[in-house]
Amino acid sequence: MTAAKVIALEYHDVVAHGAFDESGFTGRAAASYKLSVDNFAAHLSVLTAPGIPVRSAAHPVTDLAVGGVMLTFDDGGASAFTHIAPLLEERGLSGAFFVTTDHIDTRGFLTRAQITELHRRGHVIGSHSCSHPTRMAECSASELQHEWGDSVARLSDVIGGAVTTASVPGGYYSRDVGEAAAAAGVTLLFTSEPSTRVTRCGDGRCIVLGRYTLRQADSEQRVAALVGASPLTRRAEWLKWNSKKVAKALGGRAYLRLREAVFREP
């Protein structure tokens, strides 16, 4: 791993074995992104092995001379507080938690008090939009202003400080999505594109960084391959992602309907 390369990992919820609906969004599609406590602990064993430089989530990514692995967690499910943060802290790690603000203080999601406590304990709190749009890149300018601006403002009020980090829900990034985030004060925006390439938006004010998504079935060996010195696994992820992106663009709403059918309860 080169010193200036940041490899960001994208997690969602971590739950007790089989208890997929205890945290975050419910349903089979959401569950496919949720790890068991034991599986996540195995991932952390790999990430804390000698030679794997996991950087503090609070370390400014704008310092591009400092590389390493960043741990990020989407949706704002309650497991951020009940499972994830304790497992990280036991190992001297911190995470970046991206909160869907319309769900604060609702069943399965973080409360205001929990968000405040995570921030106090050194974790980064960021926006994951207000409502988690299915296709954020299709939102109008006013909708994007609401999704980023209002979510950032609410979280800033909760933690009593500036919120400058965010992640795009659903992986549907566009230039307009990035520009709206930058206008809301976001200086670091994560997408779901599996890449270590750094780009900028908002007249250079906002860094845009991709992530490698971990899912329910992913083993600790896969994590080791993603963060290892060889780029082959990361390149394969990039190729797969871009093939899927073409399918999404061509399929439009039909692609989403097909995905819903695949994950529909039997």
Side-chain angles (χ1 to χ4, degrees):
M1 185 186 307
T2 60
K5 181 177 294 180
V6 176
I7 299 174
L9 301 183
E10 176 187 348
Y11 288 96
H12 291 74
D13 290 284
V14 173
V15 298
H17 184 72
F20 297 117
D21 288 347
E22 76 171 17
S23 178
F25 295 105
T26 59
R28 293 179 66 192
S32 69
Y33 290 92
K34 300 181 183 184
L35 276 67
S36 71
V37 172
D38 289 345
N39 195 18
F40 183 59
H43 285 204
L44 293 180
S45 294
V46 168
L47 293 169
T48 53
I52 304 295
V54 178
R55 56 187 286 157
S56 166
H59 190 105
V61 76
T62 47
D63 183 0
L64 296 179
V66 179
V69 178
M70 291 187 70
L71 304 181
T72 72
F73 303 86
D74 281 0
D75 294 347
S79 68
F81 188 83
T82 58
H83 294 310
I84 299 171
L87 287 167
L88 293 176
E89 291 163 5
E90 286 174 6
R91 296 159 176 82
L93 304 176
S94 60
F97 295 101
F98 299 113
V99 179
T100 310
T101 55
D102 283 356
H103 294 275
I104 295 173
D105 286 323
T106 65
R107 183 183 181 278
F109 288 86
L110 291 167
T111 66
R112 284 178 61 98
Q114 288 171 334
I115 294 169
T116 301
E117 177 65 10
L118 287 171
H119 173 69
R120 187 193 68 78
R121 282 156 49 179
H123 302 282
V124 169
I125 301 298
S127 167
H128 197 48
S129 79
C130 288
S131 68
H132 201 286
T134 303
R135 294 175 70 92
M136 197 160 186
E138 291 187 356
C139 289
S140 67
S142 61
E143 289 170 333
L144 289 174
Q145 182 180 16
H146 160 66
E147 293 289 347
W148 289 134
D150 289 0
S151 62
V152 165
R154 184 173 183 188
L155 288 169
S156 296
D157 177 67
V158 171
I159 68 172
V163 168
T164 59
T165 309
S167 69
V168 181
Y172 285 90
Y173 175 77
S174 69
R175 189 73 183 182
D176 288 344
V177 170
E179 294 293 330
V186 173
T187 57
L188 172 59
L189 180 65
F190 289 97
T191 71
S192 296
E193 181 173 355
S195 173
T196 60
R197 185 169 65 96
V198 173
T199 60
R200 292 178 181 267
C201 62
D203 295 328
R205 301 186 310 276
C206 180
I207 288 174
V208 181
L209 185 62
R211 294 180 294 175
Y212 296 85
T213 303
L214 279 306
R215 296 172 176 81
Q216 181 191 137
D218 287 329
S219 67
E220 60 268 36
Q221 289 79 19
R222 176 168 176 72
V223 176
L226 284 173
V227 303
S230 171
L232 293 180
T233 299
R234 294 191 292 274
R235 286 176 182 169
E237 279 297 294
W238 185 87
L239 289 170
K240 184 168 67 174
W241 165 267
N242 280 277
S243 297
K244 187 186 292 186
K245 185 162 67 174
V246 171
K248 288 179 179 180
L250 294 175
R253 295 286 174 181
Y255 177 91
L256 292 178
R257 288 194 295 271
L258 176 61
R259 186 175 186 275
E260 290 170 359
V262 169
F263 286 106
R264 189 171 296 134
E265 299 292 344

